[in-house]
Amino acid sequence: AGVALGVQIGAVASEIANFAMSFIGYSYVWGGKSPSTGFDCSGLMYYVLTQYGYKMNRVANDQMSQGTYVSRSDLQVGDLVFFGYGSYANHVGMYIGDNQFIHASSGKGCVVITSLSASYYANHYTGAKRIIQ
């Protein structure tokens, strides 16, 4: 049962990550949390996960208080990755595998995929949480 459960979780996480990726190119809008308005970083995570029945906090630092801590070396598709200063997160995205994450980027003005190794994100990585269990 454990193996089947793991496959099932992985399949759900992949489905949710693919759903998130369907919003690539949507506008970045501060405070936005739906496809009709556009998204900010936490709004995108909020929208995507609530569509699958997860109860989510609305802002990045509050989202970081949810789920189970995951070390960077154990990241799986669907995990939320957080960025900021010290233990304060001011940005969030979803890990999609291959050292990349999807997020609503204020700098790019839209939803994009970025490498975790990109200098700003590598320097401001504050942790990851697994919401999809």
Side-chain angles (χ1 to χ4, degrees), residues 86-108:
S87 62
Y88 179 79
N90 61 9
H91 193 67
V92 60
M94 181 177 285
Y95 187 68
I96 58 168
D98 201 26
N99 202 43
Q100 297 187 309
F101 68 105
I102 184 168
H103 61 125
S105 166
S106 57
K108 300 278 191 219

Side-chain angles (χ1 to χ4, degrees), residues 8-122:
Q8 188 179 359
I9 292 168
V12 171
S14 293
E15 182 182 335
I16 294 173
N18 284 329
F19 180 62
M21 287 189 280
S22 73
F23 300 110
I24 290 171
Y26 278 63
S27 295
Y28 176 91
V29 176
W30 189 86
K33 60 179 184 187
S34 77
S36 58
T37 59
F39 298 101
D40 65 13
C41 63
S42 56
L44 177 62
M45 298 303 105
Y46 175 88
Y47 179 79
V48 166
L49 287 160
T50 57
Q51 296 306 299
Y52 285 85
Y54 292 93
K55 285 197 176 311
M56 291 302 297
N57 293 326
R58 177 56 189 87
V59 299
N61 197 59
D62 293 339
Q63 289 176 354
M64 196 165 71
S65 71
Q66 299 184 253
T68 308
Y69 173 80
V70 181
S71 70
R72 190 161 176 170
S73 59
D74 288 332
L75 282 173
Q76 293 178 8
V77 170
D79 290 343
L80 299 190
V81 286
F82 294 90
F83 308 90
Y85 302 89
S87 62
Y88 179 79
N90 61 9
H91 193 67
V92 60
M94 181 177 285
Y95 187 68
I96 58 168
D98 201 26
N99 202 43
Q100 297 187 309
F101 68 105
I102 184 168
H103 61 125
S105 166
S106 57
K108 300 278 191 219
C110 63
V111 177
V112 295
I113 291 173
T114 303
S115 169
L116 283 173
S117 302
S119 59
Y120 175 86
Y121 298 104

